[in-house]
Amino acid sequence: MIKVGVCGYGTIGQRLADGVALQKDMELIGVADVAPTLAIRALKEKGMPYNLFLSVEDYRSDFEKLNIPVSGTMEEMVQKCDIILDATNAGVGAKNKEIYSKYEKKAIFQGGEKNSVADVFFHGYANYEKGIGKQFLKLTSCNTTGLIRAVDCLDRDYGIDRVAITIVRRVADPGDYHRGLTNALQIDKAPSHQAVDLMTIMPHINATGILIHTPVTHGHIITVVATGKKKITKDMALKSFLNHDRIRVVKISDGFLGNSSFFKYARDLGNPRGDMYEIGLWEDSIVETGDDIMFAINIPQESVTIPETVDGIRAACEMQTNRLEGVAKTNEYLGIGKWK
């Protein structure tokens, strides 16, 4: 059993802990955080299903006042683990790396950290092999993770030369107030980092993109125009997408009108927190435009990177050295594709 710890019990950290706990060949040693946040208080009310460790000592008295049991310090957790999933705020992970290095532990960092923090910029489907046996991996962002799933899917079946993307990006996660209350759209300078990141993972593809921030919280929508090495028809693209376990093909006529439709459906399914591991892809959006193929995908930003992070554990710890075997195990334990 590979022993795993999660540092940072926020939006991503909570979901990483739940995802690891579902893996039958991994053991979750515990989670570490700084202060008794609402997430930590909810953990206590749920009966402390995970051991809690303190990242720093500054707020220990606050934990004691709330009778929140603490199992030790983050360093003590790190020593018990084979690998750490660092889900702290951007920049904190780079500092924590010193602790992971001190105890010669492996670690996986989330998309907010700089690429230089890791040995490999990692995606489970696109470059699993490059992560095998490495000490430090860094995940792609939520948008890039979902984007690469779709582009890699077509690339492996037919070959892709270039893509042009437009990202309609949710401005903040539910419950975040630091962005302020807005009634406007904001455009970023092109190319977006997701296009640059895609080329880092898949250097044989030319990519460019534009990103637009929107005052919503449930999911991003990305439109993709892809140019294949040969013409890709709608039927060809649809066949590939339907065969991919982490892509859920839907129709507008079935009620999937937009980003909130996916969130509501996941919640109606009883998925914890309304999460969905798969990206949504509208069959109605797949169109041929000249020699190009165009489509639109929905990115559930809070949960989409969890499967690829678990893939990273499998690669870094050499649990499976074959890409398809590794992602298949992750999918099996997370229940991905069970709806097919």
Side-chain angles (χ1 to χ4, degrees):
M1 295 281 278
I2 295 298
K3 295 177 170 57
V4 185
V6 176
C7 187
Y9 194 69
T11 298
I12 300 299
Q14 296 175 61
R15 291 164 169 83
L16 288 175
D18 291 350
V20 170
L22 291 171
Q23 307 300 302
K24 296 180 181 179
D25 49 3
M26 300 178 190
E27 178 186 356
L28 180 67
I29 297 300
V31 300
D33 213 325
V34 176
T37 60
L38 290 180
I40 296 294
R41 297 181 191 209
L43 186 68
K44 177 180 182 288
E45 285 196 41
K46 289 191 289 187
M48 294 302 293
Y50 310 138
N51 292 327
L52 175 66
F53 297 82
L54 296 188
S55 298
V56 297
E57 291 288 334
D58 303 39
Y59 301 99
R60 180 179 284 273
S61 61
D62 292 342
F63 285 90
E64 293 172 348
K65 289 176 184 176
L66 294 168
N67 294 315
I68 298 175
V70 173
S71 298
T73 66
M74 185 187 84
E75 283 206 41
E76 290 171 336
M77 182 187 77
V78 169
Q79 293 176 68
K80 296 178 181 180
C81 295
D82 299 306
I83 188 166
I84 307 297
L85 308 182
D86 193 294
T88 56
N89 292 334
V92 177
K95 296 178 181 177
N96 289 341
K97 182 181 176 181
E98 298 176 8
I99 299 174
Y100 310 147
S101 297
K102 174 182 176 182
Y103 295 106
E104 299 182 340
K105 302 296 183 178
K106 296 177 183 288
I108 300 177
F109 302 92
Q110 292 300 303
E113 294 295 330
K114 294 181 179 179
N115 292 356
S116 58
V117 77
D119 304 312
V120 174
F121 195 21
F122 182 82
H123 189 281
Y125 274 82
N127 68 347
Y128 184 97
E129 294 83 0
K130 290 188 176 180
I132 295 173
K134 295 296 191 294
Q135 183 176 8
F136 297 120
L137 305 181
K138 199 206 91 162
L139 264 290
T140 53
S141 69
C142 55
N143 270 316
T144 311
T145 298
L147 172 65
I148 288 178
R149 280 185 199 171
V151 174
D152 175 72
C153 174
L154 294 180
D155 185 48
R156 288 182 183 275
D157 284 351
Y158 311 115
I160 295 293
D161 278 334
R162 64 181 182 272
V163 295
I165 63 175
T166 299
I167 301 175
V168 183
R169 183 186 187 276
R170 69 93 183 91
V171 73
D173 286 328
D176 284 352
Y177 290 94
H178 65 280
R179 301 279 187 179
L181 304 177
T182 61
N183 184 29
L185 301 180
Q186 179 179 322
I187 190 167
D188 277 1
K189 182 179 179 180
S192 67
H193 82 78
Q194 291 84 1
V196 176
D197 289 348
L198 184 146
M199 289 189 289
T200 304
I201 297 282
M202 307 176 72
H204 58 288
I205 294 178
N206 292 319
T208 190
I210 292 173
L211 186 146
I212 302 167
H213 299 271
T214 58
V216 298
T217 59
H218 290 306
H220 316 281
I221 291 178
I222 305 178
T223 65
V224 182
V225 179
T227 305
K229 294 186 180 299
K230 61 179 181 180
K231 180 176 173 59
I232 302 173
T233 67
K234 176 175 180 175
D235 287 342
M236 292 165 65
L238 180 58
K239 180 181 178 181
S240 295
F241 294 143
L242 287 170
N243 286 332
H244 198 296
D245 283 341
R246 294 185 192 171
I247 298 176
R248 185 165 185 143
V249 179
V250 301
K251 297 179 180 179
I252 294 173
S253 59
D254 288 336
F256 288 94
L257 306 181
N259 59 320
S260 292
S261 303
F262 284 96
F263 177 76
K264 183 180 184 302
Y265 191 63
R267 187 170 57 186
D268 291 343
L269 284 170
N271 294 355
R273 306 185 184 91
D275 287 345
M276 186 173 282
Y277 294 128
E278 305 94 342
I279 61 171
L281 191 148
W282 282 276
E283 180 177 339
D284 321 64
S285 73
I286 307 173
V287 292
E288 299 172 33
T289 170
D291 291 330
D292 299 333
I293 191 77
M294 183 177 182
F295 56 91
I297 56 178
N298 181 80
I299 308 291
Q301 82 277 0
E302 297 175 297
S303 52
V304 71
T305 63
I306 307 308
E308 275 74 8
T309 306
V310 176
D311 295 340
I313 298 172
R314 297 186 178 283
C317 295
E318 300 180 79
M319 298 175 71
Q320 288 85 30
T321 55
N322 176 277
R323 177 182 71 93
L324 293 179
E325 291 177 3
V327 299
K329 274 297 179 185
T330 299
N331 292 347
E332 176 187 348
Y333 293 142
L334 291 180
I336 295 174
K338 63 184 180 182
W339 50 274
K340 288 188 174 182

